[in-house]
Structures are given as C-alpha cells and as structure tokens.
Amino acid sequence: MTGRVQASAGELLELVRSRRAVTRGALQQATGLSRATVGQRLDRLFRAGWLREGAGGPVDSPLGGRPSITLEFDDEHAVVLAADLDTRHARAAVLSLSGEILAEHSGVLLVEDGPDVVLGELGRWFAELLEKAGHGAQMVCGIGLAVPGPVDTETGRVVQPPIMPGWDGYDIRGRLAGALAAHTGADAVPVLVDNDANLMAYGEQRTGYPDCSAFVLVKVSTGIGAGVVVGGSVFRGIDGGAGDIGHIRVPEGAQALCRCGSYGCLAAVASGGAVARRLAEAGVPAASGSDVRDLLASGHPEAVGLAREAGRRVGDVLATVVTLLNPGVLMIAGDLAGTPFLTGVRELLYQRALPRSTAHLDVVTSRLGERAGLVGAGAMVVEHLYAPERAEERLRALGV
C-alpha cells in the first residue's frame, strides 16, 4: 500500500485491524498520506465508533518526534449473530466483533422441515439470545449462517444439497433477515451463508493455526465434507463446490446408495449416517451421526470397530487430498472425530500418501469443537463488513 495516496478510510481501518500500523505515524508511513489526510480519515472512523485509542499508552512514532497514541479496532460497537445448522440440530450465538461468544443456544432443529420453518425458528432464537446478552437488535451488524450443503456465496443460496431437502435455491438471506426483524422489529441486516465445513475450517485456522498457509478440515457427521483455507482465505472453487469429498466414488461403496442418489459415494460407506445404519442393522439403536458419537463416548465395541473402519476409508481418499494440497494441518471434526476414527485415517493416509506429502503434516482433531462453525460464521461476517471497499460503503451510508 506504500505510496498509494488514495488510501481510503477503509484501508486505514484494515491496517489497524491487522495490527500492521497502529499509530498515526505508522499509517502515514504505510500509505504515503499526509498527517492532515490521515487525521481526516481517522476522524471518520472515530465518528462511526469503529476505532478507539488503545489502552497500552503512547509508543514511539516511526517518524520521530513525540510518542504516538496507539489505535485499535473497537470490537464493542456492534455484535454479530451466527448459527450452525446440522441435519438434526442447530447452534446459535451472539458474538462480539472479536469472536467472543456472548450468549449461546443449541437445540433440536430438523433441516428436513424446510427453510421456512428452520429459519423462522432461528429468528426466534436470535431474539432470545440478544435479550440474554443484554444487546438491542440495533447492535446487530450482520448474520452468518453455516449450512450442511454446497453454497453459492454470491447469492447465499444452497445448490443441489444432498441432505437438505427443499432448500435448493431458496432465498435464505431474505427469510433469515425477515425472521429476525419479525421477532425484534430491527431493520434488515446483511446475511452471509456458507458451507459448514468451510466455516469450521475458517474458525479453526484463524484461532488455532493462523500461520498455517494451507489448512484442511474434514467434517464427518451425517455426511462428509471438507473445508480448505489457503493463504488465510477459504477456497470455495468456482461455484462453492470445493471440498465436497463425501461424493467421491470409492470401490467399497459400489452397492451403497448415497443420499445424493448415486451409488458408491464415500459418504454412503464412511459417514456418521453410514455407520449408524450398519449399527442399526446389527441391532444397535442408532439413527444418526450424533447417536454414533454417543456410542463411541461410551466405548461401545461395535461402534468403535466401525468408526475405525470408516476412518480407513476416509484416510484412503485423504491421501489424494494431501498429495494435491500439501497442507500443514489436516483436522478431523464432527461426530466421528475421536480416537478410533482418527486411528483409521492415519493408518491409510500414511500408507498411501508419499512421505514427501506428509513430512510436515499435523493430523489433529478439532480445538473449538461444536463452536467452530459459529466462530467461523462470525469471522466471515466481520471480515466482509469491515473489508476496505465495504467499509467505505457503510461509512457513506452512515453519513460519516
């Protein structure tokens, strides 16, 4: 950005938020702007309530002279709403702009009941959570939603989701914004939607592995999906279909019918739903990945054996993923993310992948657990709303 005299207030905000420049002098040096121009643009950010003086006191200025007051992003001027949908339950929260969860709720919510019912219920949850957190609806700057299906992020609509009947092409943004408004009387706010594995990967990478330039998270629950973060950004492919590894065909599944309508998908033989089905056929009560998770937690021997077998099948596919992407971290998350499954993954992954591909690879389990999708959804909203160009648009809309 050095020498770009047209640097906007939004770009100054980005420098402060990223901690690359936290004093007026450092901002002058980074942008080439004059002291007066930096002051004018910072004034806009102060009037919007987006910046504040740091608590650390004055620091030496890179331009010499008197010590400068540090600047920091004010993460208390607004809140974000986030929700993470699974097939049979959901989790919702109010988050600060720095990602702290201020209020949280989880409960049964069946995605098969359709978007109108599910999103309407989320609107009610959000209203209750705002009251619990002690914030009015006018504090909400945006909503982030994680869903278990492929998403066109330009439109916020899911595209041919195998396990979300009735959701294909539905106007999620409009319905969820309307549901919040109906329960709180608030004006419509921006709604961003993405795949759950993408947002879990984003949340985990940002909070636990910020220096990892190639990060892969695999979620194994009712279905199987992967989120990929490269260079700090989610890699989605050209239309949101990247990471859909659950529908890679595998020889062992030739006779297994997947929920997408095809035979032979990895998800049909190695997902939490597939393991639950095999347990049920053996007389063990299990209907979903969450049931398998409970059986694994109790050490049920048949569940443990099937989870390890599922891990081996997923590990075989992940050998190709690791060879292609050469990630530094491969994280296993979801209902099956425990020792038996992880052991199975490692067995086949290290057997099938070239040593060069795994020499600097860490295979780990989730750090954030069931909150990963919420944290990722919240971060997605903040990064979108306070990106330089969008920040300028919002400042103008505020009349600042």
Side-chain angles (χ1 to χ4, degrees):
M1 192 176 293
T2 301
R4 289 184 57 200
V5 296
Q6 72 273 31
S8 66
E11 287 171 310
L12 297 191
L13 179 67
E14 179 72 12
L15 287 169
V16 174
R17 289 185 61 236
S18 65
R19 308 298 295 172
R20 286 178 288 168
V22 295
T23 66
R24 288 169 173 80
L27 290 168
Q28 286 178 246
Q29 191 173 56
T31 62
L33 295 174
S34 69
R35 179 182 179 87
T37 303
V38 166
Q40 291 167 358
R41 294 182 182 176
L42 289 179
D43 182 61
R44 297 177 66 202
L45 298 172
F46 277 112
R47 283 188 287 141
W50 296 359
L51 277 189
R52 63 189 175 199
E53 292 186 348
V59 298
D60 290 338
S61 170
L63 301 180
R66 291 183 299 176
S68 299
I69 300 296
T70 58
L71 305 169
E72 63 184 26
F73 180 58
D74 188 342
D75 60 4
E76 297 179 353
H77 73 269
V79 295
V80 174
L81 298 176
D84 185 4
L85 292 182
D86 211 326
T87 54
R88 299 170 63 87
H89 67 276
R91 187 173 294 268
V94 180
L95 295 90
S96 73
L97 298 182
S98 61
E100 178 187 0
I101 293 180
L102 306 176
E104 184 178 8
H105 174 74
S106 63
V108 174
L109 204 54
L110 303 180
V111 74
E112 65 186 22
D113 284 345
D116 191 56
V117 171
V118 171
L119 299 174
E121 184 68 359
L122 281 181
R124 185 179 69 81
W125 287 12
F126 284 149
E128 294 175 354
L129 286 167
L130 284 168
E131 184 175 354
K132 182 178 177 181
H135 289 295
Q138 74 279 359
M139 286 285 289
V140 178
C141 64
I143 303 174
L145 177 65
V147 298
V151 176
D152 179 345
T153 54
E154 290 297 317
T155 64
R157 298 173 188 248
V158 293
V159 182
Q160 300 176 4
I163 58 176
M164 299 179 70
W167 290 73
D168 185 23
Y170 187 86
D171 180 17
I172 294 175
R173 290 176 176 174
R175 176 66 176 112
L176 189 51
L180 176 66
H183 287 283
T184 65
D187 294 334
V189 297
V191 177
L192 277 69
V193 187
D194 204 347
N195 171 262
D196 54 357
N198 284 348
L199 293 180
M200 291 172 69
Y202 193 47
E204 295 276 9
Q205 188 271 339
R206 285 173 59 91
T207 57
Y209 303 90
D211 297 325
C212 181
S213 60
F215 179 96
V216 176
L217 178 142
V218 178
K219 179 186 179 183
V220 187
S221 291
T222 299
I224 300 175
V228 179
V229 180
V230 177
S233 299
V234 176
F235 178 76
R236 299 182 175 90
I238 61 171
D239 62 2
D244 204 3
I245 65 170
H247 301 286
I248 292 175
R249 306 295 173 81
V250 294
E252 301 91 336
Q255 305 303 315
L257 178 62
C258 181
R259 293 182 68 172
C260 73
S262 298
Y263 285 88
C265 294
L266 179 64
V269 295
S271 65
V275 172
R277 189 164 54 251
R278 291 187 64 183
L279 287 168
E281 290 169 355
V284 180
S288 66
S290 58
D291 292 335
V292 177
R293 179 189 60 205
D294 295 339
L295 290 167
L296 290 171
S298 68
H300 189 283
E302 193 156 0
V304 167
L306 288 174
R308 182 166 179 172
E309 179 184 332
R312 288 171 59 85
R313 288 173 169 171
V314 173
D316 197 7
V317 170
L318 289 179
T320 301
V321 173
V322 166
T323 302
L324 177 65
L325 297 176
N326 189 211
V329 175
L330 171 62
M331 178 175 283
I332 306 299
D335 291 331
L336 266 60
T339 299
F341 186 86
L342 190 63
T343 298
V345 167
R346 285 176 168 151
E347 286 176 1
L348 261 289
L349 173 62
Y350 288 108
Q351 176 184 325
R352 298 293 171 85
L354 290 172
R356 173 68 183 82
S357 300
T358 58
H360 301 99
L361 175 68
D362 288 329
V363 182
V364 300
T365 53
S366 172
R367 289 188 175 189
L368 296 176
E370 294 183 340
R371 289 179 164 178
L374 294 178
V375 172
M380 170 181 65
V381 172
V382 173
E383 292 306 314
H384 174 77
L385 292 180
Y386 295 93
E389 289 188 6
R390 183 55 57 90
E392 279 297 315
E393 293 175 5
R394 295 177 64 215
L395 287 170
R396 288 194 293 271
L398 290 170
V400 176

